[in-house]
């Protein structure tokens, strides 16, 4: 059973293909990492699969339904954290979660209860009453994830969920996602630039380059004997020369920085206490 | 510093050029020219009228004619200038946040922004033409050296009004960002209005006259409109050939304007250094929010729209500004209506206010999706019908518009005799009847020509010029349609034809609205590819 199945999915912008004849196969229950360099077509693909963008050509079936015909039914069963997020910045975090849940068909008490639970799980309880405009980027990402989960989706689309957030937040989100997939009821389709994190998370990988799928399969099939990063660079890397030396940057007062004594917190040395 | 200002000016010029040459740019450019072409003849027509009035006033020298003409001209100009500037002016020059990073004194940047508000703003041309009419009328009536002082007075009026608008926007933006202030002010306004409306409804003559007795005490409120008040003080003396007596008024205008400009800059700088609309101190107290008892599939959409609208600076400002402007009209215009004017004529300011409320809120129904920014994605990601999205926006905006109209009607009702029941019914029928026509057309404009709008009301125009032009056409056509019952009522001397006629037109509008909704919802879905990048700001 496939959670996502596309055939010749294409999107043209000004007659140029951003996504070109994509044939994706995402098994149900998979944690699918969709990788590619900047401008490869990852976000365009997610936008087409979630209904934000119309395909120019091709078909897409999501959770067994034809996306073009059963758009509303598909939307009700998926959760999305789009690139750029989809948050109403003049709502508080709690309001956003609850209203989001209600828009996906939950009744008000259920949505309110789940909103509270999600805030706690995402470590945002203390900030639930603040307007979203006052959230940091990492907090917004976490809240967007909460929104995508509140109605209990069967398929989760995450577009660059780790971009611009700190290592602690990345670890928290990663743990939560791993827990969700391990339970076996959720399929995750994720794009990311952080290959190390992706490699530790995903079960399946697809690599897109210049709008075309250049590799697809289980993690082990795709990376073969090397690491995912090595495979990725081999498939999409181009001969790039390093930046030219900008001699004028060092022209004024160039000198080595003075040595600085390291500062280590007492308890970080292992014998604090 | 000159060398630093030059690239800043270049940035502005290049951004303007890009805006005109990117998608929809040509149409926007044509719309701007069309607005100007429409504004100029209109301005000339008004200028001729103002010139004629000024001519009469200067010839008479002193007395009631001077008092009424000068007050009506300058308070009227100040009022319209302020109202239009709050919704339409593109005043990017005053956005200090963008320029704090550069090694240029922010004061110079702000001064440059203010200067473009007078010299570089197409809308300012309109006011310039009107002031030219006043000057021409005075020059024809009594040529002489005193005209130099009049020119200085008029120039200072323009400068003072631009500064006034800036100060008002900065202060309102700062003050209304405080949730507590906003909600208490709102509660107070509603309580006050309900109380006064109750007095009006009971119609007890004693209570009414006591209520009206408060009006003279409110005359001190004219200083809230100091650009007009100082100018009226000066021109009265100039018209009666007392040039020396006009000097203190001119000097007062200059000093107060300078102080106000300094204050506006200080507030703008404070906000910019605190991060402006995205700053941590603004709107931080969102709380858990108050639950709204909406049920059914529209419930969450209505709740979201309601909360969004009440947190919207333009909506908040409208709730205070429209009643304040109505108070000026009530104070200056209502008493000037002839005592023997018919009931329909006496009710015209109230009817005008009903249409004016829709005009003030036009950027909310002509660019209904522009305020969503990133949130707009959710409207397409969630399993909701586009028609429900539009209905929720329209219903909530209408409810808010009705509240603003009710608040603004209070001073008008106070200023005259208690209005007859038919006039109140007609005003409500007019306000409600126009809404479906305007919103049906506004939805179409919102979908086809959206613009990412900033929540900081003092920054950027909230409407593209093309939408502004469309709004002008929509409001004019709707107003013309709703003027028909007025002609019938006057011809048949039957005021009750107004509420009746407007109710019929309103029901017809509702039918049109319902018919238009499904195709508009389909259009919304079809346009998402073009709409989302613009609204979310990815394309801005």
């Amino acid at each position: 059973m496939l959670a996502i199945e596309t055939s010749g999915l294409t999107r043209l912008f000004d007659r140029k293909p951003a996504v070109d004849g994509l044939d994706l196969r995402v098994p149900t229950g998979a944690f699918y990492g969709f990788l590619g360099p900047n401008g490869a077509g990852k976000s365009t693909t997610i936008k087409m699969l979630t209904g934000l963008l119309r395909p120019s050509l091709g078909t897409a079936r999501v959770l067994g339904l034809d996306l073009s015909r059963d758009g509303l039914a598909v939307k009700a069963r998926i959760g999305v954290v789009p690139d750029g997020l989809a948050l109403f910045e003049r709502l508080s975090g709690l309001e956003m979660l609850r209203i989001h849940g209600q828009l996906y068909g939950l009744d008000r008490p259920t949505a309110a209860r789940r909103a509270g639970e999600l805030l706690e799980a995402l470590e945002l309880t203390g900030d639930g009453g603040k307007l979203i405009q006052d959230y940091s980027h990492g907090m917004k990402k976490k809240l967007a994830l909460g929104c995508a989960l509140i109605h209990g989706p069967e398929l989760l689309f995450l577009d660059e969920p780790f971009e611009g957030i700190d290592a602690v937040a990345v670890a928290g989100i990663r743990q939560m996602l791993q827990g969700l997939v391990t339970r076996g009821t959720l399929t995750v389709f994720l794009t990311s630039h952080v290959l190390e994190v992706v490699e530790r998370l995903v079960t399946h990988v697809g690599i897109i380059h210049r709008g075309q799928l250049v590799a697809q399969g289980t993690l082990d099939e795709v990376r073969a004997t090397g690491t995912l990063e090595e495979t990725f660079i081999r498939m999409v890397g181009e001969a790039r020369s390093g930046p030219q030396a900008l001699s004028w940057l060092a022209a004024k007062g160039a000198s080595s920085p003075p040595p600085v004594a390291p500062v280590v917190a007492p308890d970080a040395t292992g014998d604090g206490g | 510093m000159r060398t630093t200002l030059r690239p800043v000016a270049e940035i502005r010029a290049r951004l303007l050029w890009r805006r005109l040459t990117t998608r929809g740019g040509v149409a926007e450019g044509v719309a701007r020219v069309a607005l100007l072409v429409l504004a100029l003849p209109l301005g000339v027509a008004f200028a001729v009228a103002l010139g004629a009035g000024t001519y009469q006033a200067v010839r008479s020298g002193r007395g009631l004619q001077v008092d009424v003409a000068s007050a009506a001209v300058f308070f009227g100009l100040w009022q319209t200038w302020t109202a239009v500037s709050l919704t339409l002016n593109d005043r990017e020059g005053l956005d200090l946040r963008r320029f704090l990073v550069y090694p240029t004194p922010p004061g110079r940047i702000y001064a440059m922004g203010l200067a473009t508000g007078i010299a570089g703003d197409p809308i300012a041309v309109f006011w310039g033409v009107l002031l030219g009419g006043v000057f021409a009328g005075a020059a024809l009536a009594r040529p002489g050296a005193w005209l130099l002082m009049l020119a200085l007075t008029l120039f200072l009026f323009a400068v003072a009004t631009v500064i006034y608008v800036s100060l008002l926007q900065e202060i309102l933006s700062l003050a209304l960002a405080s949730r507590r202030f906003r909600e208490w002010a709102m509660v107070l306004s509603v309580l006050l209005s309900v109380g006064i409306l109750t007095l009006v409804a009971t119609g007890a003559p004693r209570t009414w006259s006591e209520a009206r007795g408060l009006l003279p005490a409110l005359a001190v409120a004219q200083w809230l409109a100091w650009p007009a008040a100082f100018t009226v003080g000066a021109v009265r003396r100039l018209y009666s050939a007392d040039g020396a007596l006009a000097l203190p008024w001119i000097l007062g205008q200059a000093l107060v304007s300078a102080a106000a400009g300094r204050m506006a800059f200080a507030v703008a700088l404070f906000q910019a250094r605190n991060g402006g609309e995205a700053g941590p101190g603004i709107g931080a107290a969102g709380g858990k929010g108050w639950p709204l008892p909406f049920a059914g599939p529209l419930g969450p959409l209505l709740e979201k729209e309601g909360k969004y609208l009440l947190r919207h600076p333009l909506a908040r400002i409208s709730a205070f500004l429209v009643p304040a402007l109505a108070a000026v009209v009530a104070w200056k215009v209502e008493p000037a209506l002839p005592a023997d004017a018919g009931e329909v004529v006496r009710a015209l300011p109230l009817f005008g206010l009903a249409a004016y409320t829709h005009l003030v809120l036009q950027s909310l129904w002509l660019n209904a999706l522009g305020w969503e920014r990133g949130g707009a994605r959710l409207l397409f990601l969630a399993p909701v019908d586009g028609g429900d999205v539009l209905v929720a926006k329209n219903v909530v905006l209408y409810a808010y518009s009705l509240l603003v109209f009710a608040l603004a009607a209070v001073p008008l009702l106070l200023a005259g005799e208690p209005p007859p029941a038919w006039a109140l019914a007609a005003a409500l029928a007019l306000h409600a009847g126009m809404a479906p026509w305007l919103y049906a057309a506004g939805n179409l404009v919102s979908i086809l020509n959206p613009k990412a709008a900033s929540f900081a009301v003092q920054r950027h125009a909230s409407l593209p010029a093309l939408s502004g032009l469309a709004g002008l056409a929509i409001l004019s056509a709707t107003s013309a349609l709703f003027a028909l019952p007025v002609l019938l009522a006057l011809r048949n001397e039957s005021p009750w034809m107004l509420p009746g006629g407007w109710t019929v037109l309103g029901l017809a509008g509702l039918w049109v609205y319902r018919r238009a909704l499904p195709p508009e919802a389909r259009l919304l879905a079809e346009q998402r590819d073009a709409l989302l990048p613009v609204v979310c700001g990815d394309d801005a």
Side-chain angles (χ1 to χ4, degrees), chain B residues 498-517:
Chain B
L498 285 179
W502 285 339
T503 302
V504 170
L505 284 175
L507 289 172
L510 209 54
W511 182 80
V512 169
Y513 180 88
R514 289 179 63 121
R515 296 279 296 194
L517 197 59

Side-chain angles (χ1 to χ4, degrees), chain B residues 28 160 168 182 215 251 283 294 420 441 516:
Chain B
E28 281 295 305
L168 187 70
R182 184 181 75 234
L215 277 181
L251 193 65
F294 293 126

